[in-house]
Amino acid sequence: LCFTDEGRNAVDHAGGAHIVVDHIRSLCSKTDPASEKLLTVFCGMLMNYSNENDTLQSQLINMGVIPTLVKLLGIHCQNAALTEMCLVAFGNLAELESSKEQFAYTNIAEELVKLFKKQIEHDKKEMIFEVLAPLAENDVIKLQLVEAGLVECLLEIVQKTVDSDKEDDIAELKTASDLMVLLLLGDESMQKLFEGGKGSVFQRVLSWIPSSSHQLQLAGALAIANFARNDGNCIHMVDNGIVQKLMDLLDRHVEDGNVTVQHAALSALRNLAIPVVNKAKMLSAGVAEAVLKFLRSEMPPVQFKLLGTLRMLIDAQAEAAEQLGKNVKLVERLVEWCEAKDHAGVMGESNRLLSALIRHSKSKDVIRTIVQSGGIKHLVTMATSEHVIMQNEALVALALIAALELVTAEKDLENAQLVQILHRLLSDDRSAPEIKYNSMVLICALIGSEPLQKEVQSMAFLEVISKLRSHENKTVAQQASLTEQRLAVES
């Protein structure tokens, strides 16, 4: 009856689920053939009843069916038909967030791993995987699965299937390695498996990177990106040569490479470049050059990670920022990506990297390269971003341009209507204090140019700035007094 929507609704109205769940509870511990057969049918009914129906899934979860089914799985693990029905019912329920919290209070991890270890047939393993994947999204359950020994099972599958070209084995390799990466997304489970970089699991994952299987290369690089979520791990990995492995992997995928592998390897390098002590080491290992090989990529996910990696690498690294900022090909590509309206992430990262090249290099050559490539208008637009951090980065870069190369950039700054934008930012009560401060610093620098000074005079800046002298932020108030004096002198 529960196979159709009409049947489900009828059973729901008649309170059928309550009756069935009560029966399951009372029969749960009985292992005679007749009871087991009845329990199998009951589980099948719950499976059909809850199939692709959020409301009925929630109803069963609220009835507390999960602990009962977990108990059932433990008691009847020898009965293949019953455990199978039970697993499919779990699969339906595990998709809901509310169910994961309930599952976390049971010993589901232990039961599933125990059951998994006994399976030989591909279909049976697949069935358990289908329950494990949604459950492993919950951080508490991730840790329980790691403690129950799931990782060892997964590594064993990888070892057995890695060289096979049978379809089932390829599917199993993918599922096992994907699940492994998912387990590493939890902070506690990840640290437990890292074991200070000495963990056998971490070592095994490292060995996936040079593998000839794209799936394992991908999983290995994603796993490294997940291990690289705190400074301690990142520093340890860089000191132990992981960067070279990732660069070798990228090298294998430069020409018509696998986009997902490129993306994963770049993600790992980006995360590794976050700690200050790693930046210089990675730069001298040639990471920037390895990453630049992907400038030709037309794939937004690859472009996004490439930009993020370079931005992390040059943070406070003046020499590297200058070298990259004078690279005309790179700067031209950045300017092109600053217009990638369909890909907000790529557009944002390109703008941020342009600004970072100027802020970290403080180099006239870099500024000239960016002016010649048409980058100024994008930095001015970036000053109007909805994100304060991006606005601020743009204003600091523009202030450096005005201080170091005002004559070269004058025309572009005028065409991009920078003065009007600064007037708007200073007049807007919602502008953050640092935005007001940096806008005033920039105004003081711009009046060194005759055409820009005329614009400033024509726009009644003095009124706006004199109001800011009484701003609650002391630094803003002080800068307002200084700016007012400068403007008064110039006029």
Side-chain angles (χ1 to χ4, degrees):
L1 282 176
C2 292
F3 199 69
T4 63
D5 285 336
E6 296 82 356
R8 265 180 223 138
N9 294 335
V11 171
D12 179 23
H13 286 307
H18 279 281
I19 298 169
V20 169
V21 171
D22 287 344
H23 275 301
I24 293 178
R25 283 201 183 108
S26 63
L27 287 173
C28 186
S29 305
K30 297 194 170 160
T31 52
D32 59 284
S35 301
E36 287 199 329
K37 194 166 186 187
L38 194 49
L39 283 166
T40 306
V41 176
F42 282 147
C43 284
M45 175 263 172
L46 291 183
M47 168 189 89
N48 282 347
Y49 184 72
S50 60
N51 193 31
E52 290 182 1
N53 188 317
D54 289 4
T55 316
L56 297 183
Q57 287 168 4
S58 296
Q59 180 198 67
L60 290 176
I61 290 163
N62 294 336
M63 276 182 213
V65 75
I66 285 173
T68 307
L69 289 178
V70 175
K71 192 174 155 195
L72 193 72
L73 194 65
I75 295 171
H76 301 274
C77 58
Q78 303 303 329
N79 185 320
L82 177 49
T83 48
E84 231 163 88
M85 280 299 173
C86 202
L87 284 170
V88 186
F90 273 153
N92 290 349
L93 299 173
E95 287 161 25
L96 286 191
E97 271 315 304
S98 55
S99 79
K100 290 171 192 162
E101 276 145 40
Q102 279 201 23
F103 273 118
Y105 285 106
T106 69
N107 62 338
I108 183 71
E110 219 177 299
E111 293 299 352
L112 287 175
V113 173
K114 209 159 65 186
L115 199 61
F116 191 79
K117 284 178 178 165
K118 293 197 316 208
Q119 304 309 323
I120 298 157
E121 292 164 50
H122 170 74
D123 297 349
K124 299 274 166 50
K125 286 185 192 166
E126 202 59 38
M127 200 177 259
I128 301 173
F129 271 142
E130 276 170 21
V131 182
L132 284 169
L135 288 181
E137 286 166 12
N138 175 290
D139 281 356
V140 178
I141 302 176
K142 276 188 183 84
L143 190 59
Q144 291 172 356
L145 289 168
V146 168
E147 286 171 345
L150 178 61
V151 172
E152 288 70 19
C153 299
L154 298 176
L155 289 172
E156 206 174 305
I157 288 179
V158 168
Q159 208 172 346
K160 278 184 186 160
T161 54
V162 67
D163 298 319
S164 169
D165 43 18
K166 289 207 310 228
E167 234 171 89
D168 281 356
D169 287 345
I170 293 168
E172 223 167 276
L173 176 74
K174 181 177 174 8
T175 313
S177 51
D178 285 349
L179 191 50
M180 183 79 197
V181 172
L182 187 57
L183 291 177
L184 293 172
L185 273 173
D187 286 336
E188 278 189 84
S189 50
M190 179 272 285
Q191 274 311 87
K192 194 176 173 64
L193 295 171
F194 189 67
E195 290 179 58
K198 308 267 187 295
S200 61
V201 174
F202 171 65
Q203 298 300 335
R204 290 280 282 280
V205 165
L206 274 188
S207 73
W208 293 357
I209 293 178
S211 154
S212 56
S213 150
H214 281 186
Q215 174 56 36
L216 274 198
Q217 294 168 4
L218 170 65
L222 288 173
I224 296 301
N226 286 345
F227 279 126
R229 285 209 316 279
N230 66 47
D231 282 8
N233 292 6
C234 288
I235 292 165
H236 178 90
M237 286 193 276
V238 168
D239 287 345
N240 284 275
I242 186 67
V243 170
Q244 196 53 53
K245 285 189 167 67
L246 289 166
M247 282 173 24
D248 292 344
L249 177 60
L250 275 176
D251 240 11
R252 295 162 68 180
H253 289 278
V254 174
E255 299 303 328
D256 311 320
N258 182 305
V259 173
T260 51
V261 176
Q262 292 172 357
H263 178 260
L266 289 168
S267 301
L269 286 170
R270 181 198 172 279
N271 289 1
L272 290 168
I274 293 172
V276 178
V277 294
N278 281 357
K279 297 180 197 294
K281 291 175 188 169
M282 290 175 71
L283 284 164
S284 62
V287 173
E289 293 75 9
V291 170
L292 286 173
K293 291 177 186 168
F294 294 89
L295 264 186
R296 300 194 303 268
S297 174
E298 292 304 330
M299 295 296 174
V302 174
Q303 297 167 351
F304 180 70
K305 286 297 176 189
L306 171 154
L307 293 163
T309 308
L310 290 176
R311 189 165 63 79
M312 285 302 155
L313 279 173
I314 62 164
D315 192 5
Q317 305 294 314
E319 201 182 315
E322 178 160 15
Q323 214 177 342
L324 287 172
K326 291 192 295 194
N327 179 331
V328 178
K329 271 198 180 129
L330 169 64
V331 174
E332 283 176 350
R333 195 71 160 131
L334 290 183
V335 171
E336 186 187 322
W337 286 341
C338 283
E339 288 165 13
K341 301 259 187 306
D342 301 344
H343 301 288
V346 173
M347 197 162 97
E349 276 293 347
S350 301
N351 278 301
R352 292 189 75 184
L353 183 52
L354 262 189
S355 142
L357 291 169
I358 294 170
R359 287 182 298 113
H360 298 304
S361 71
K362 301 182 175 56
S363 148
K364 291 184 170 203
D365 289 340
V366 170
I367 294 170
R368 281 190 216 110
T369 308
I370 289 172
V371 172
Q372 282 154 11
S373 305
I376 296 295
K377 62 180 181 199
H378 297 299
L379 290 170
V380 175
T381 308
M382 183 183 168
T384 63
S385 163
E386 55 189 323
H387 305 290
V388 175
I389 190 164
M390 285 176 69
Q391 275 187 300
N392 212 31
E393 287 172 358
L395 291 169
V396 173
L398 289 164
L400 283 164
I401 292 169
L404 296 170
E405 275 294 322
L406 186 54
V407 178
T408 316
E410 181 179 73
K411 201 92 206 102
D412 288 355
L413 293 171
E414 206 179 339
N415 292 340
Q417 301 185 313
L418 174 60
V419 175
Q420 289 94 311
I421 284 170
L422 292 174
H423 191 277
R424 224 169 48 223
L425 290 175
L426 288 168
S427 315
D428 189 344
D429 294 337
R430 292 163 307 180
S431 291
E434 60 267 39
I435 300 303
K436 303 230 184 226
Y437 173 83
N438 282 321
S439 296
M440 289 188 282
V441 170
L442 188 45
I443 287 290
C444 292
L446 292 178
I447 52 181
S449 145
E450 204 177 313
L452 292 169
Q453 186 192 351
K454 277 185 185 150
E455 270 192 63
V456 171
Q457 281 168 346
S458 71
M459 286 197 72
F461 266 88
L462 275 168
E463 271 174 53
V464 182
I465 285 166
S466 62
K467 278 187 198 157
L468 291 175
R469 276 200 335 229
S470 52
H471 196 277
E472 56 187 1
N473 182 300
K474 286 221 172 67
T475 320
V476 171
Q478 279 170 340
Q479 186 57 41
S481 299
L482 289 172
T483 309
E484 194 175 34
Q485 287 165 16
R486 283 293 304 277
L487 290 177
V489 169
E490 294 297 335
S491 61

